[in-house]
Structure formats: structure tokens, C-alpha cells
Amino acid sequence: MIFKVPSNANHSTTLRFCDRAAQRLESSTPAGGAAGRIGRKCPPAPRSPGLPACPVTPSLPSHRRRCERVMAASKPVEAPGGGGSGTGLSRWQLALVLGAPILLGAGAVYLWGRRAARRGGKGASERKTPEGRASPGPYSGGAQPDGPGHEEMSPLDRAQAAKNKGNKYFKAGRYEQAIQCYTEAISLCPPERNLDLSTFYQNRAAAYEQLQKWTEVAQDCTKAVELNPKYVKALFRRAKAHEKLDNKKECLEDVTAVCILEAFQNQQSMLLADKVLKLLGKEKAKEKYKNREPLMPSPQFIKSYFSSFTDDIISQPLLKGEKSDEDKDKEGEASEVKENSGYLRAKQYMEEENYDKIISECTKEIEAKGKYMAEALLLRATFYLLIGNANAAKPDLDQVISMEDANVKLRANALIKRGSMYMQQQQPALSTQDFNMAADIDPQNADVYHHRGQLKILLDQIEEAVEDFDECIRLRPDSALAQAQKCFALYRQAYTGNNPLPVQVAMKGFEDVIKKFPKCAEGYALYAQALTDQQQFGKADEMYDKCIDLEPDNATTYVHKGLLQLQWKQDLDKGLELISKAIEIDNKCDFAYETMGTIEVQRGNLDKAIEMFNKAINLAKSEMEMAHLYSLCDAAYAQTEVAKKYGLKPPTL
């Protein structure tokens, strides 16, 4: 869908490389319940204005961050300073959405581009044909190849004649004969005629390409580039050959050079860059993730995650959710349990924020087949998800779900978390199945509808999402987050429809929510995102200030406020100061490092950008998120190599 942006928007162009998964159903921060934090009067704000905060597998983007991506990714982009009144994203919106789901496929980590491919323009051009005339024509000597006067032709004219004869064969699909003619042209051409020779090699490579002789294609293109280092056709053809030969790094370097030399005007090259970046990212992430050390998120992140559930027994205070066996089917009752158990010790550690000991204590309860085995399995699975170990979490969740005699709240919570995990793994059918099962077994559980509503937003099923949020609100009228996210769903629906009246109604809805729930940070944050979309930057800034007042330790709010300064006032110093503050508050905030890296790309500080992306990679909590970050890092690294090789200097802000 194409969004219309107000005509006073500060437009900028470039398409985007790297999608964050599935995009990014994309990736980048907490993941867990399909929803971010829910059901409290004052839930802590998630990492960013986006779709569901799925905190369980901290790798799906949080609700605010997700929605930001979904909406921004749908907007067309226009060249900075490119004139015209086309709609698009500002440079700083691009910084926000880097890694979001991509519509056209390539471009924006490479923020050097000055103009995007336009419909019907160069973006659709093909590079299959050889250069030169398709059939022989007159030359300086007036003679045709092998015709009368052939002997009087200069070596260059004879080479050109052979090339044109080759072009005629190429056009007729007689590629072997074309190769013979191009080989003759190469042998006849004077060695000092670099540009002509490079064309002959490139044409022969085009013929080899039609025969799928990829090694020969790469070799001939290399000869052509040696003779003419900025020969775009040869570079792109070699990139395609490297792709076929599975030389991803070499492919990326060549296609990066093409994108920069063409000022990002050709969609073909951007799509190839996007493709190879994804492949490289997945390849590197698979290896790195397999050997990664589990990393516990920050206490603020963990508390924010657990606050997303209102019907979650394991997150309730000690001795308030543990029931004796005979009371398990009596909802809401709790009996104090004096006996010592691994699960109760784990709950004590939770209250003390001593999170590193929780998995081991739960394991003791499970191995002893203790009274709280189901609770211990669910709590252990939750912390496995929080440290990014979905493979370990799934068997525990499966076991809880299959325990028909367990408290229905435990089973429903396990289904929500497994469903969110499936969504993060881009398995929407399995995710939907789990949420529906949770609604079947526990129809009065507000968490189910809230998290499923966010899943529906991800699947672009807005009307169904609103229905789920309404049911959540019916069951828990004090669920501020559900009301705020319902407003966001309605706003997004109106925004994509480009209808001013529903947009105004949705904006009024946000006002009502923050008036009714003045301590709900999430309401202010989502409203700030909508205000930013409407170019109401001053008011958006005020909303982020409200978030910070309510949650001064939420690092991601500082990141978003910093990005707003860049988009609104182009105040680089203030923006970086706020993002640095986020890192100071939470040095495990991968979103802050990723954003800082993106800004450094735009500033032309590619080495610094790579450093920031690497820090984010080490903090990634899922393989998918890690793959996205590797794509950003590889894109920046490829630019540094191309800059050195071709003497290009990135523009700075």
C-alpha cells in the first residue's frame, strides 16, 4: 500500500537494503506474548513505537517499534533534494525504519543514494544485451567485415566489425558464434584501447551468461573492470556471476559499487544487494547464534515484559499464585505453602531481581517432580525465551500445554508464549492456531485477546485486531494498553486508507486514552508515533517527555526522542546525546546501538557504524534479529571497501 505523506514533509530518497526479518514479520527487541506489555493501568513503555512487543522471545520488535516499521515501510521514498513533490520519507524516518519490511527490496543502509528508481524509469531496465550495434554497419574505412576492402581497415575498425557481427549473432540467440566474434575482437583490438577492450570482454561475458558459464562470466567481467574500473555493466554482471558461484562477499562488494555508481537508480541492482545481504546475514547469524553465550536482559526489560500479562500466575508475587493441588481448579484462590521448593526459591529470586538463578531453581523443581512442576516448567520456558533460547523453551511449553490437569491459566499463558514464539519464527499459521486454542480453553482471559489482537495487526487483519482489543477491554476495562493499541490499529487503518476524517477520529481516540489513563506511558508513546506521522513534531516531543517522566529508566524512549530531534530539527548533537543517554541507562539496549550505527552510516562514519552494529549483534536475542544486524553491518562494511577501491567519499550530514 502507498501512503500519502503531507506535502510539507521533509522528503528524502533511497530505497532500503536489509529487511529485519521478515522484517522483519521482522525482529529487533523483546518478543514474547504477541503483545508487548499489557493489561496494567500503567504498563512500562516498550522499546519503540511499533507493532506487538512480543516480549517472550526478545527478538520480535516491541509494539511501538513494530508499528513504526509497518507504517514507514509502506511509504514511498523520494530523493533528498531531488525536487518535485513526490511523497516519501525524511532521512531520519529512514533511520527509524531501517530493517523494516521492504517493499521494493533494497537500498537504505546505503544512504549514499540520492535518487530512487522511479516507476517506468531506469528501475525496470535490463542488462542482458551486449553493447554496440546489433548488426554490422559502415565503419571508417567504409568496408564490411570480411568484405571488399577488409584488408585496408585499421585493427580497431576490424575489431569493431567483429564485435558488431557478434552482436548480430547474440541477438539471434547464437551465443557460441557470438563468443567467437567477441574473442576475435579482443585479439584484434590495440592494447592501448582500454575502453574498447573492456566493452569486448563485457560483451563476451554477456554471451557466456546466456550459456550459464558463470566462471567465464566472472573472468571476462574482471578483465573488463581492470580496463575500466567503474564499468557498471561489467560490475553488475560479475555480481550476478558471483551470486551463481555462491561467492556472496564478492557479489555484495560488486553490487554495492553498482548501487553507489548508479546513485541507486536501478531497482535490479538494489534487489540483488538486498538478496545477498539477507543471505549473508542468515549465514553468519546461524553460526554465531549456535555458539552464543546466553545473555540475560536488563532488569527493566524483564519487568517490562512480565507487566504485559495480567492473568499470568508465575508473574504474581510470592505466595499469591501458588496453589495446592486440590485448589488448582479454583481460579483466584491461593493457599500459602510453607514447604521449600525450587519453584518458590525461583519466585523469591524474581522478587529480588536475581534473575540468573531462576532457570536452575526451576530445573530442581522439575527434576524432583514437585508440586509446582507445571509452574516451574512455564517459568523456566519464559526465561529461556528471555535469553533467546527458543529451542530450550519449546519442550517446556509443549509439556505445560499438554497437562490437562494443570491450571487453565498456566496452559493459556504457555499457548500465548508459544504462539508468540512461532510468530517470531515467521510461522503465522502455527501462531494463530495457538492463540485460538488459548481462547478456546480460557475464554475469559484478557491476555489472550490482547496478544492475539497484536498478532492480527502483524498479519494486517485490522478489523479482527480491533475486535480482539474490544474483547480484552470488555474483560478488563482498566487495560490502558489495550485501549491505546486499539487506537493505533484504527489509526493505521485510517492512515493507509488516506482518509482524513478517520485519521482525525483515531487521533481523538489517543487524546481520550491519555486523558483516561494519564499514567500509561504506552499511550503517550503510540500517540507520539501517530503525531510524528502527521508532522506534528512539537506535540510528539511533548508525548515522549511524558513517557520519560513516567518511566525514566526506559532506554528506548530516549532513542525515539533522539530520532525525533533528527527528523524534526535536524539536530544531530541533541539526537546523539539522547541515544547515548539510552545506552548509559541500559548498556544492553541493542536498539540504541543499532540506531546509533544507522546514524553513523548517514554521517559517513562507516567504521563507527560497524562498531555499533557489532555491539548490537552481541546483544541480539534471536537468530533472526542477529541476521538483520549482520545485514546492516555487512552493508556498511561493503561500503567502506568500495569507498577505498573507487575513491568514493560518502556524503556527511
Side-chain angles (χ1 to χ4, degrees):
M1 255 176 223
I2 299 299
F3 283 21
K4 260 203 171 162
V5 178
S7 59
N8 62 344
N10 175 21
H11 300 311
S12 151
T13 317
T14 44
L15 295 180
R16 300 165 237 142
F17 266 161
C18 312
D19 92 349
R20 185 169 187 158
Q23 257 142 16
R24 67 200 261 229
L25 293 175
E26 198 250 57
S27 67
S28 226
T29 93
R37 289 105 58 339
I38 5 187
R40 308 183 310 144
K41 285 191 177 179
C42 268
R47 295 176 39 149
S48 66
L51 282 184
C54 302
V56 153
T57 339
S59 81
L60 272 186
S62 68
H63 180 83
R64 278 185 281 163
R65 191 168 179 192
R66 241 342 150 98
C67 74
E68 167 183 281
R69 289 181 169 173
V70 168
M71 304 219 312
S74 301
K75 301 177 186 175
V77 287
E78 172 109 12
S85 57
T87 58
L89 294 176
S90 73
R91 299 176 71 90
W92 302 111
Q93 280 175 305
L94 285 171
L96 264 63
V97 303
L98 205 68
I102 299 178
L103 297 184
L104 296 179
V109 170
Y110 296 174
L111 290 167
W112 293 5
R114 282 293 189 254
R115 288 166 23 197
R118 301 180 185 226
R119 294 190 183 214
K122 223 171 176 182
S125 66
E126 295 288 334
R127 308 180 205 239
K128 294 180 180 176
T129 57
E131 293 184 28
R133 301 172 202 173
S135 58
Y139 297 93
S140 57
Q144 298 291 329
D146 302 326
H150 179 70
E151 293 78 8
E152 289 110 27
M153 294 171 67
S154 70
L156 179 59
D157 282 345
R158 291 165 62 197
Q160 292 284 5
K163 178 202 73 173
N164 281 345
K165 187 175 180 182
N167 289 356
K168 184 176 181 181
Y169 282 130
F170 188 101
K171 187 176 181 181
R174 299 169 65 182
Y175 302 117
E176 295 285 4
Q177 290 91 331
I179 288 167
Q180 292 174 11
C181 291
Y182 297 140
T183 301
E184 182 183 354
I186 290 166
S187 66
L188 290 170
C189 186
E192 67 275 10
R193 302 290 300 194
N194 286 6
L195 294 182
D196 293 296
L197 263 175
S198 69
T199 299
F200 302 154
Y201 277 113
Q202 197 283 141
N203 283 10
R204 190 169 71 177
Y208 279 130
E209 182 181 32
Q210 296 301 313
L211 299 174
Q212 299 186 29
K213 295 186 175 182
W214 304 112
T215 300
E216 287 83 353
V217 173
Q219 289 171 347
D220 273 4
C221 287
T222 297
K223 288 283 189 183
V225 171
E226 287 171 355
L227 293 161
N228 181 4
K230 296 183 181 179
Y231 194 171
V232 168
K233 259 193 178 179
L235 283 165
F236 185 68
R237 183 157 275 120
R238 187 170 68 179
K240 291 191 291 181
H242 281 315
E243 181 199 7
K244 295 294 185 181
L245 295 168
D246 201 30
N247 300 329
K248 298 183 187 70
K249 183 179 176 183
E250 292 82 359
C251 174
L252 178 60
E253 187 173 313
D254 279 347
V255 77
T256 298
V258 171
C259 287
I260 294 171
L261 291 168
E262 288 187 326
F264 297 87
Q265 294 183 66
N266 195 299
Q267 186 179 333
Q268 278 190 310
S269 51
M270 291 188 290
L271 287 170
L272 178 57
D274 176 57
K275 180 181 179 182
V276 72
L277 279 167
K278 289 180 192 175
L279 291 172
L280 273 171
K282 287 179 182 177
E283 201 173 77
K284 292 183 177 182
K286 186 174 183 180
E287 185 62 29
K288 171 93 173 176
Y289 194 74
K290 186 170 56 178
N291 301 312
R292 69 187 280 274
E293 286 292 324
L295 182 67
M296 191 66 68
S298 66
Q300 194 277 336
F301 181 101
I302 293 171
K303 286 185 285 186
S304 175
Y305 165 64
F306 277 109
S307 73
S308 70
F309 297 95
T310 58
D311 281 319
D312 182 5
I313 291 174
I314 63 168
S315 64
Q316 294 173 8
L318 190 63
L319 304 178
K320 291 289 181 68
E322 291 72 280
K323 303 175 184 178
S324 61
D325 289 340
E326 59 270 21
D327 290 333
K328 277 188 177 178
D329 58 346
K330 297 179 184 177
E331 216 174 283
E333 295 184 12
S335 55
E336 293 197 7
V337 182
K338 296 179 180 178
E339 69 266 24
N340 195 14
S341 78
Y343 172 71
L344 294 183
R345 283 193 297 273
K347 291 293 295 289
Q348 183 65 48
Y349 286 135
M350 275 188 71
E351 290 188 3
E352 296 169 359
E353 298 183 14
N354 192 353
Y355 300 118
D356 289 323
K357 294 185 177 180
I358 289 174
I359 289 176
S360 61
E361 291 300 330
C362 287
T363 299
K364 291 176 186 176
E365 179 80 16
I366 294 163
E367 289 176 348
K369 298 190 185 320
K371 176 183 289 187
Y372 302 101
M373 183 173 175
E375 289 87 342
L377 283 165
L378 182 56
L379 184 58
R380 185 172 73 172
T382 301
F383 272 87
Y384 276 141
L385 288 169
L386 282 167
I387 65 174
N389 192 349
N391 289 336
K394 186 176 181 299
D396 286 355
L397 294 172
D398 291 346
Q399 191 170 346
V400 174
I401 292 164
S402 67
M403 297 170 73
E404 295 187 2
D405 60 339
N407 188 317
V408 70
K409 297 294 182 190
L410 294 175
R411 296 177 63 210
N413 187 268
L415 282 162
I416 292 170
K417 290 172 179 174
R418 191 176 70 177
S420 299
M421 181 189 74
Y422 283 141
M423 197 63 193
Q424 187 257 332
Q425 294 171 345
Q426 299 182 59
Q427 300 185 68
L430 289 176
S431 180
T432 300
Q433 181 177 300
D434 273 1
F435 280 109
N436 291 347
M437 187 186 301
D440 288 340
I441 68 170
D442 193 7
Q444 300 302 307
N445 189 326
D447 288 351
V448 175
Y449 302 103
H450 188 177
H451 289 254
R452 189 172 69 177
Q454 296 197 37
L455 168 69
K456 297 299 184 184
I457 291 180
L458 282 177
L459 297 176
D460 203 28
Q461 298 169 3
I462 305 300
E463 290 183 8
E464 293 180 31
V466 170
E467 289 176 6
D468 274 340
F469 290 138
D470 280 337
E471 182 62 13
C472 175
I473 294 164
R474 185 188 70 78
L475 292 167
R476 287 195 179 269
D478 63 346
S479 178
L481 185 54
Q483 298 200 34
Q485 291 175 347
K486 175 187 172 182
C487 285
F488 167 72
L490 293 171
Y491 171 73
R492 183 180 163 215
Q493 187 178 45
Y495 192 48
T496 55
N498 193 29
N499 191 331
L501 185 57
V503 167
Q504 291 171 14
V505 172
M507 299 297 277
K508 174 65 167 54
F510 281 120
E511 290 280 0
D512 292 340
V513 168
I514 61 175
K515 184 176 180 180
K516 185 176 180 181
F517 301 102
K519 296 192 182 225
C520 176
E522 182 77 359
Y524 293 107
L526 290 173
Y527 189 26
Q529 174 59 31
L531 289 165
T532 301
D533 290 329
Q534 296 299 311
Q535 311 291 309
Q536 297 182 42
F537 300 124
K539 194 167 183 180
D541 195 48
E542 291 175 13
M543 295 301 105
Y544 284 131
D545 284 340
K546 291 278 190 182
C547 289
I548 291 171
D549 288 343
L550 290 166
E551 295 180 344
D553 294 332
N554 192 318
T556 58
T557 306
Y558 289 89
V559 178
H560 285 292
K561 183 175 168 66
L563 286 170
L564 179 64
Q565 308 311 306
L566 299 171
Q567 182 178 349
W568 175 22
K569 299 178 179 177
Q570 291 75 52
D571 189 339
L572 187 63
D573 292 337
K574 182 64 175 175
L576 291 175
E577 178 188 328
L578 285 162
I579 296 167
S580 297
K581 175 71 173 174
I583 293 171
E584 181 185 324
I585 290 171
D586 181 4
N587 63 5
K588 294 181 180 179
C589 182
D590 57 318
F591 178 42
Y593 291 115
E594 178 188 348
T595 305
M596 188 80 82
T598 301
I599 292 171
E600 294 297 354
V601 168
Q602 296 193 31
R603 296 175 74 197
N605 298 333
L606 297 175
D607 289 336
K608 181 69 173 177
I610 291 167
E611 178 189 342
M612 293 294 103
F613 290 141
N614 278 321
K615 286 185 177 181
I617 286 167
N618 290 329
L619 293 168
K621 297 175 183 68
S622 78
E623 188 175 324
M624 184 167 62
E625 179 180 357
M626 195 176 281
H628 162 70
L629 291 165
Y630 266 122
S631 293
L632 301 185
C633 192
D634 287 341
Y637 180 76
Q639 289 181 80
T640 63
E641 295 301 298
V642 168
K644 291 173 190 172
K645 181 177 287 190
Y646 297 99
L648 299 172
K649 186 176 179 182
T652 56
L653 296 176

